[in-house]
Amino acid sequence: MSNGINICEDNDAAMVWFLSELPELKPSSSNIVHLKCNDLTRGQLQQSVSEALSHNKPVIIQGSGSNSATALDAEYLEKIFGILPWMHVTIHGLPTELQLLYHGLIYGWNQTTVDCPIHSGKVHPDNFTTKSWLLLHHAGFVSHPHHNADGTMTFVQIETGIKFWVVFHTRNTLSRTAFQKAQMLFANFAKNQEEIILTWEAEVITLLDGDILFQPAGQVHAVYTPKKSFVTGGNLHNFGSLHLTEIFHYINAHKAQFLTNQDDNSSSMALTQLQALISLCLMVINHNKYKASNNYQGYKIVESESMERAVAIATVITSHFYKDIAMAQ
């Protein structure tokens, strides 16, 4: 910003121009699922969202647009969300009708904490604060293509304002190694723009007041904010999407500093709380291979005291299906 005017840097301006030329989402798109709350029961809504995300498809739930005239100021933030100007952290959750999608909390923390408590009391606050967050952006803010940290699903609800949310899909099915290389193209947009166009296709989703967007784990996306906007959102684990969680933990273990907003240090603890789940066993047994490569920021990922217990459980389960665990890897 210069003299109160938002100014894009050269690389941001090039990215905004690129995003502006991408096609707008059509209702007939096979990559994204459209839902309306009024058309479904609460159970049907949750089931539809969960199934779409497990098939690696984002979900849009159309809102009412009732906040279009809301003045986005300090009074609005305090009265509606209890956010005061000096607050550093605020915690909000999923809309009531969708709360049961949050399996990491329902089954991971609520159900296993009694039987498998954390005796030391050392639970990273990110287990709760990053599961629900708020974004307040001025007009002209752009987020370059990336996927969200730690293989979690993401939801975002527009409280007031507009977001142009761009979701990317590879044009062809790729192996995880090839997918990692494809996503690395975004790390140098100016150099790789032509190859990006050949490798990726994208659709622009216009999110208005009240709209809710769910992203599957690891969804590559970019966002442009054309007017000042306020949104709520969060990250969560869901049993139906853990196959995607595994892939992006693997990718983050190698290239997190280039591909994601690497801020969440709680994911391994949340996953160990979701203990006796076959699709998690190999991730738990080989947990060191899935630690995100964020040491360059000076962070140290501390192993949870529940890890030893989780490895023992995962080993027993895997041994039931494979005499030699190495054959399963």
Side-chain angles (χ1 to χ4, degrees):
M1 179 172 288
S2 175
N3 298 321
I5 300 175
N6 296 326
I7 303 219
C8 281
E9 297 180 359
D10 290 343
N11 59 330
D12 287 338
M15 176 57 66
V16 171
W17 186 269
F18 168 70
L19 297 178
S20 71
E21 295 184 319
L22 295 173
E24 187 175 4
L25 172 69
K26 296 181 179 179
S28 60
S29 172
S30 60
N31 295 320
I32 298 168
V33 174
H34 293 76
L35 298 174
K36 291 185 178 180
C37 286
N38 295 336
D39 295 342
L40 302 168
T41 66
R42 177 173 174 173
Q44 290 172 333
L45 183 62
Q46 292 178 151
Q47 182 67 24
S48 297
V49 172
S50 184
E51 286 184 2
L53 293 173
S54 71
H55 289 90
N56 203 23
K57 293 185 177 183
V59 179
I60 302 170
I61 303 175
Q62 187 175 354
S64 62
S66 58
N67 294 330
S68 58
T70 300
L72 179 50
D73 53 24
E75 182 179 5
Y76 165 78
L77 295 175
E78 181 177 353
K79 284 187 175 181
I80 305 301
F81 295 94
I83 302 172
L84 302 175
W86 55 84
M87 291 177 66
H88 295 289
V89 176
T90 180
I91 300 176
H92 294 264
L94 278 163
T96 303
E97 64 272 17
L98 295 166
Q99 287 178 352
L100 295 184
L101 290 170
Y102 190 175
H103 291 171
L105 180 62
I106 296 169
Y107 302 111
W109 288 108
N110 288 357
Q111 294 193 14
T112 64
T113 298
V114 174
D115 296 328
C116 304
I118 306 294
H119 293 290
S120 68
K122 296 179 179 179
V123 177
H124 199 288
D126 277 359
N127 279 287
F128 309 103
T129 56
T130 65
K131 304 316 174 204
S132 53
W133 34 254
L134 310 172
L135 294 177
L136 180 62
H137 284 145
H138 58 70
F141 191 89
V142 60
S143 296
H144 289 238
H146 66 284
H147 67 257
N148 289 344
D150 288 319
T152 55
M153 303 185 328
T154 301
F155 78 93
V156 60
Q157 180 169 11
I158 309 300
E159 302 297 342
T160 183
I162 301 173
K163 293 282 183 180
F164 294 136
W165 206 278
V166 186
V167 293
F168 292 86
H169 299 89
T170 56
R171 296 184 182 275
N172 300 299
T173 302
L174 303 176
S175 67
R176 66 178 61 198
T177 302
F179 184 84
Q180 183 184 79
K181 291 180 179 179
Q183 197 175 342
M184 279 295 296
L185 294 172
F186 290 113
N188 191 335
F189 174 75
K191 177 182 177 182
N192 300 321
Q193 184 172 352
E194 290 187 8
E195 191 171 357
I196 288 171
I197 294 172
L198 294 174
T199 305
W200 295 88
E201 58 181 353
E203 294 170 287
V204 181
I205 305 170
T206 301
L207 296 176
L208 305 174
D209 295 333
D211 289 347
I212 300 175
L213 172 69
F214 278 88
Q215 286 189 155
Q219 174 67 60
V220 178
H221 63 286
V223 186
Y224 180 72
T225 305
K227 61 178 289 188
K228 62 179 181 179
S229 301
F230 177 67
V231 306
T232 55
N235 300 13
L236 57 149
H237 288 106
N238 182 281
F239 285 152
S241 296
L242 288 174
H243 57 295
L244 301 174
T245 297
E246 186 274 330
I247 292 172
F248 286 93
H249 266 268
Y250 169 85
I251 290 175
N252 287 351
H254 296 82
K255 300 291 184 181
Q257 63 267 43
F258 301 107
L259 306 179
T260 183
N261 51 340
Q262 183 53 50
D263 290 321
D264 186 359
N265 294 298
S266 65
S267 184
S268 62
M269 180 176 283
L271 290 174
T272 58
Q273 290 299 117
L274 290 166
Q275 289 181 36
L277 185 72
I278 292 177
S279 58
L280 275 176
C281 288
L282 295 179
M283 284 185 67
V284 172
I285 292 171
N286 301 301
H287 57 277
N288 286 322
K289 293 182 180 180
Y290 293 93
K291 288 183 178 178
S293 56
N294 63 351
N295 288 335
Y296 74 100
Q297 292 181 335
Y299 294 126
K300 181 180 179 181
I301 299 177
V302 179
E303 191 167 289
S304 165
E305 68 179 66
S306 63
M307 182 61 76
E308 182 177 352
R309 178 175 59 232
V311 169
I313 294 172
T315 300
V316 170
I317 294 172
T318 306
S319 297
H320 178 75
F321 297 95
Y322 297 90
K323 292 182 179 180
D324 181 2
I325 292 181
M327 294 294 293
Q329 303 182 48

